[in-house]
Amino acid sequence: MAIVASAPGKVLMTGGYLILERPNAGLVLSTNARFYAIVKPLYDELKPDSWAWAWTDVKLTSPQMARETTYKMSLKHLLLQCASSSDSRNPFVEYAVQYSVAAAYASLDNDKKNALHKLLLQGLDITILGCNQFYSYRNQIEALGLPLSPESLATLKPFTSITFNAGESNGENSKPEVAKTGLGSSAAMTTAVVAALLSYLGVVNLSSLSEDQNQEMDTADLDVVHVIAQTAHCIAQGKVGSGFDVSSAVYGSQRYVRFSPEFLSSAQGAVGGMPLDEVISDVLKGKWDHERTKFSLPPLMMLLLGEPGTGGSSTPSMVGAVKKWQKSDPQKSRDTWTKLSNANSALETQLSLLRKFAEEHWDAYKCVISSCSMCKSEEWMRQASEPSQVQIIKALLGSRDAMLEIRCQMRWMGEAAGIPIEPESQTQLLDATMNMEGVLLAGVPGAGGFDAIFAVTLGAASSTNLTKAWSSHNVLAMLVREDPRGVSLQSSDPRATEITSGISAVHIE
């Protein structure tokens, strides 16, 4: 019996850099780009002598990268040992497997442990697949002579093979890097593997995407997935990050405040030889203090991402540069962070106000979005014909002002820290984007740099116009939209269902 789980990629709209320190909040949108993990037994039946085995087999397959790695897992220590000589290790999946199995041992009672032991003796066959949106296929599209458009992207086979950037050969054995789009593939992948394994091993009971979405999933089960995925992701990265990407992969779109890093001190010390199930038991018992509140874009607004084709940026090195600047100029950096924090809060307030208007004055709201989608922001106020419409347009303009202030402070911080948070090329592109009809916001998500840019448009028609305008600026609009749902189980192998959804995705209004 195969279990299939999926988790979404993310776009951090506000909170870049600040989100690393409590109590600063970030607004993070989850997307329709999902990572899938399929878990099933490696062997159909057990050999008679299997009860005496001290090891079991684990096979990890990544079809998009044409990789297969086999491991032996110690049933005493719950640690993996690579059995194949392949050098393509995936630490995120390795820690996800070890910690999920340890969580099963830590949380199941003795009766269930026998069944767990038998299940593990059948081996674990794990397949991972990432939606095309996580990776850049720009080079393939250009090589095929196709236009830089979402329609061209939609012609690619789902889960297309990933090409590697040419590695720099300077005598060292430098591994080629995958060209990514900055949607948080490692967090989504780790979360999907943890969710699939914890479901397969009987630790959690997650609902599926096909079920009624109004029915809330049991958050206690989601919390277990979150803690294990967060721990595995941080240990695999070798540092305790803010965790917003894993949190959105688990719970979906949200307003997020990070957890205190000390929750992971026992896991970081696990290398010291404490049994893994005890370590994970400690981590699960911790009173995690991250904060998340429901957040998603107001109705009739569309998230759009564009890939400028200037190559990605290294977030860790950019974060390092900002931290260095904070130490060297504490007064100026504090001042910038306060202004940035205020602007982030202002944007959040205006978007919440717009959601409230949509609930309470739907007709006026719908009318404003429709009329403003066809003109530039300086003409919006002229579209109002009654007091409630004036209030809605004020909130739209307030959102724009907050975004412009966020961009201004991010640029300033980049200059002070000597890194390109909003590089000149991105500034020109974002200014041109925000000047278009029906565009509410545009910015560089997360830590900034040369990754994809994001825009929020009023209605579908303005997003189609923006897509065409980007194409003429050599920017590839991606097939990414906001989808506020988090991790969930799938009813079948996505390779069967993605074929049909890939075709329907071509229809972009």
Side-chain angles (χ1 to χ4, degrees):
M1 161 72 179
I3 291 279
V4 185
S6 73
K10 53 71 192 169
V11 174
L12 183 65
M13 262 178 53
T14 72
Y17 299 97
L18 273 71
I19 204 171
L20 287 163
E21 292 178 11
R22 290 172 58 83
N24 295 313
L27 297 180
V28 54
L29 302 178
S30 54
T31 69
N32 59 348
R34 295 183 85 86
F35 231 98
Y36 297 85
I38 304 162
V39 177
K40 57 182 198 249
L42 199 50
Y43 311 115
D44 290 335
E45 49 194 60
L46 290 174
K47 297 191 176 101
D49 62 343
S50 65
W51 61 271
W53 294 353
W55 298 81
T56 189
D57 298 317
V58 177
K59 183 173 86 169
L60 171 63
T61 312
S62 173
Q64 284 161 292
M65 297 195 184
R67 286 177 180 171
E68 188 179 287
T69 313
T70 52
Y71 299 91
K72 290 279 183 198
M73 182 176 216
S74 158
L75 293 174
K76 185 180 178 193
H77 303 294
L78 312 181
L79 299 174
L80 289 171
Q81 284 189 10
C82 202
S84 50
S85 58
S86 132
D87 64 348
S88 57
R89 303 281 295 269
N90 186 327
F92 294 100
V93 177
E94 289 174 19
Y95 282 108
V97 172
Q98 291 175 168
Y99 292 0
S100 298
V101 173
Y105 273 105
S107 52
L108 296 177
D109 57 35
N110 284 339
D111 293 350
K112 288 186 176 156
K113 274 187 185 150
N114 283 335
L116 171 67
H117 192 68
K118 275 187 184 154
L119 195 56
L120 288 171
L121 286 172
Q122 283 182 267
L124 294 170
D125 183 344
I126 303 166
T127 302
I128 51 171
L129 298 155
C131 274
N132 289 350
Q133 292 100 302
F134 283 104
Y135 305 102
S136 173
Y137 293 97
R138 202 187 159 97
N139 294 345
Q140 287 95 310
I141 287 173
E142 286 174 338
L144 291 166
L146 294 170
L148 282 175
S149 69
E151 287 81 2
S152 300
L153 276 176
T155 63
L156 295 173
K157 203 166 96 266
F159 311 112
T160 291
S161 294
I162 296 156
T163 54
F164 294 86
N165 289 333
E168 297 294 317
S169 302
N170 49 1
E172 295 170 35
N173 180 16
S174 59
K175 281 228 287 252
E177 197 40 62
V178 178
K180 295 183 184 179
T181 52
L183 289 176
S185 54
S186 65
M189 172 176 66
T190 305
T191 302
V193 171
V194 167
L197 276 167
L198 291 178
S199 299
Y200 179 76
L201 300 173
V203 181
V204 298
N205 183 12
L206 303 176
S207 66
S208 71
L209 272 184
S210 56
E211 285 174 30
D212 178 14
Q213 280 308 313
N214 297 325
Q215 187 187 323
E216 284 287 305
M217 226 183 269
D218 181 3
T219 60
D221 281 343
L222 284 179
D223 295 343
V224 174
V225 174
H226 175 249
V227 168
I228 299 301
Q230 201 69 269
T231 308
H233 193 253
C234 285
I235 301 297
Q237 266 186 326
K239 67 180 178 62
V240 180
S242 70
F244 78 88
D245 44 3
V246 172
S247 189
S248 61
V250 176
Y251 303 106
S253 294
Q254 60 188 272
R255 174 191 190 270
Y256 175 81
V257 177
R258 72 158 305 153
F259 58 89
S260 302
E262 50 270 20
F263 282 108
L264 287 178
S265 52
S266 60
Q268 287 172 296
V271 191
M274 192 174 160
L276 197 54
D277 52 339
E278 286 179 31
V279 171
I280 295 303
S281 179
D282 277 359
V283 170
L284 283 167
K285 281 183 201 144
K287 289 267 177 276
W288 286 62
D289 59 355
H290 61 289
E291 291 167 34
R292 57 177 179 86
T293 26
K294 266 198 147 131
F295 175 86
S296 57
L297 287 176
L300 307 179
M301 293 191 185
M302 289 191 77
L303 172 72
L304 232 68
L305 271 99
E307 198 192 325
T310 34
S313 298
S314 164
T315 301
S317 60
M318 288 173 71
V319 169
V322 167
K323 284 186 166 165
K324 198 169 153 189
W325 162 66
Q326 280 181 288
K327 279 202 183 95
S328 67
D329 196 342
Q331 186 54 52
K332 275 249 172 64
S333 63
R334 260 201 306 273
D335 188 38
T336 305
W337 276 44
T338 304
K339 286 177 181 165
L340 199 44
S341 175
N342 292 341
N344 287 343
S345 299
L347 179 58
E348 187 188 329
T349 302
Q350 298 299 333
L351 291 174
S352 300
L353 207 51
L354 285 161
R355 259 199 316 281
K356 195 161 169 268
F357 284 135
E359 279 168 29
E360 295 170 8
H361 307 279
W362 175 248
D363 291 339
Y365 178 85
K366 200 165 76 169
C367 181
V368 164
I369 298 295
S370 172
S371 54
C372 292
S373 72
M374 293 180 277
C375 52
K376 295 186 176 186
S377 60
E378 52 265 31
E379 294 157 28
W380 288 355
M381 213 29 118
R382 291 184 216 134
Q383 312 306 311
S385 57
E386 55 175 68
S388 61
Q389 293 185 353
V390 171
Q391 295 302 108
I392 294 164
I393 292 169
K394 276 187 175 166
L396 289 173
L397 293 169
S399 303
R400 280 180 69 86
D401 290 343
M403 190 74 222
L404 288 167
E405 176 64 11
I406 290 168
R407 284 183 49 206
C408 173
Q409 294 302 329
M410 289 286 258
R411 271 198 306 276
W412 199 97
M413 183 159 77
E415 283 161 24
I419 49 166
I421 292 178
E422 190 185 290
E424 180 58 31
S425 58
Q426 301 279 58
T427 298
Q428 289 171 5
L429 181 57
L430 293 171
D431 288 346
T433 300
M434 281 187 79
N435 275 330
M436 281 196 62
E437 290 87 355
V439 174
L440 180 67
L441 310 171
V444 285
F450 294 97
D451 283 346
I453 58 166
F454 78 88
V456 174
T457 68
L458 306 176
S462 50
S463 85
T464 305
N465 295 339
L466 179 56
T467 294
K468 288 177 183 145
W470 273 355
S471 190
S472 67
H473 281 89
N474 203 30
V475 175
L476 174 58
M478 293 155 60
L479 292 166
V480 176
R481 296 287 178 269
E482 184 198 9
D483 180 344
R485 300 174 295 187
V487 72
S488 72
L489 295 186
Q490 306 286 136
S491 51
S492 59
D493 187 318
R495 285 168 288 194
T497 50
E498 273 282 322
I499 307 296
T500 49
S501 65
I503 295 159
S504 62
V506 183
H507 179 63
I508 296 157
E509 302 223 32

